[in-house]
Amino acid sequence: MNMDITDQLIVRGHDKKKIKELHHDQLQEIFDNETRERILAFDALLQQEGLAQPNEDIITKASVHNISLKDYWKKIERNRDDSTLIYNLLGEMVREYPANEIMEFFAFVSSGTLFKSLEGMLQLKNCEYQEILLDMIEDFYKNLPSEELEFQMEHYTNVRNDVARLEFVVRVLKRQSKELISMACLKDIIRQQFFKEDE
């Protein structure tokens, strides 16, 4: 059951009578500001816990990699004529290294047509990986009311190029999925009780 903004603000603790007196634009502004504050509070909490620094990536890729960039490059060189294999290798690479680091490495070891091909494939694989992460985040938030889900996903879509941040959010959400499910259930119970009292 989706709630409109008025219902969501009332569930968040706003005075029912005052909320009912406001125009839709005013309600939307209150809702947007509160949701933005919640997102910023999450970022602040990460910084407070030492998991993030202001104006820095939330988390960097592991400094110890399963496969070095040089070893990936050897596989690419050995399979130069197999674009499907190279494309899959690039998919593995974007999960282990930041895309800009991979591009810098390719610029150092290749040139011309090969470099351009690798650059194009890497951009596609990086976008594909961003979409996978955004889908995972959206899946964790699927029980939120539609407006709140939309607002959350707009925030994460705006920072989609910060893959390390998206990866970190996915890890946090995986660890806290039980709490999130409990919160969603509690929210639903409160909503049901609220509407019962209104009848």
Side-chain angles (χ1 to χ4, degrees):
M1 175 173 95
N2 288 330
M3 294 190 302
D4 68 9
I5 292 174
T6 304
D7 296 330
Q8 290 181 54
L9 290 173
I10 292 169
V11 168
R12 287 183 180 184
H14 289 272
D15 183 79
K16 183 177 177 179
K17 187 178 177 183
K18 289 179 183 176
I19 288 296
K20 295 279 186 186
E21 294 171 358
L22 298 174
H23 296 289
H24 180 75
D25 291 347
Q26 293 170 307
L27 294 171
Q28 187 69 52
E29 185 177 348
I30 292 168
F31 177 82
D32 290 351
N33 288 337
E34 283 187 3
T35 305
R36 190 174 297 108
E37 285 172 15
R38 288 178 179 198
I39 291 169
L40 293 174
F42 178 69
D43 286 346
L45 177 64
L46 295 177
Q47 291 173 22
Q48 179 184 339
E49 295 296 320
L51 300 171
Q53 298 298 320
N55 302 319
E56 290 183 13
D57 286 345
I58 290 294
I59 197 162
T60 56
K61 302 277 186 179
S63 55
V64 177
H65 302 288
N66 292 327
I67 301 175
S68 71
L69 285 173
K70 286 181 182 179
D71 288 337
Y72 274 119
W73 179 248
K74 287 176 187 173
K75 288 182 180 185
I76 290 170
E77 279 192 310
R78 277 196 309 265
N79 298 285
R80 248 182 140 131
D81 296 328
D82 189 345
S83 58
T84 303
L85 180 70
I86 292 173
Y87 192 67
N88 291 334
L89 284 171
L90 292 172
E92 292 175 25
M93 293 173 79
V94 296
R95 284 170 167 75
E96 197 167 348
Y97 293 90
N100 61 339
E101 188 177 329
I102 299 169
M103 277 314 306
E104 287 172 12
F105 179 77
F106 285 160
F108 180 72
V109 296
S110 65
S111 62
T113 308
L114 177 60
F115 175 76
K116 284 292 182 195
S117 297
L118 290 172
E119 182 181 36
M121 287 192 286
L122 180 63
Q123 287 173 351
L124 288 173
K125 269 301 181 186
N126 195 46
C127 286
E128 184 181 296
Y129 185 47
Q130 291 168 355
E131 285 300 320
I132 290 168
L133 293 171
L134 288 169
D135 287 346
M136 291 171 78
I137 293 169
E138 185 171 14
D139 193 50
F140 280 109
Y141 284 131
K142 67 186 172 194
N143 292 323
L144 291 176
S146 58
E147 290 89 355
E148 198 167 332
L149 173 64
E150 185 180 325
F151 200 89
Q152 287 281 353
M153 292 314 299
E154 182 181 334
H155 168 73
Y156 290 116
T157 301
N158 288 339
V159 297
R160 69 178 293 140
N161 289 329
D162 191 349
V163 171
R165 181 186 204 91
L166 296 180
E167 289 173 329
F168 179 75
V169 169
V170 167
R171 282 195 296 276
V172 169
L173 292 173
K174 278 183 180 177
R175 281 198 307 265
Q176 297 180 346
S177 62
K178 287 180 183 174
E179 290 93 350
L180 288 171
I181 291 166
S182 298
M183 285 172 59
C185 291
L186 179 61
K187 202 172 190 179
D188 197 43
I189 290 166
I190 291 168
R191 218 177 14 226
Q192 289 172 9
Q193 291 299 320
F194 173 77
F195 286 118
K196 276 183 189 173
E197 288 172 11
D198 259 12
E199 293 172 355

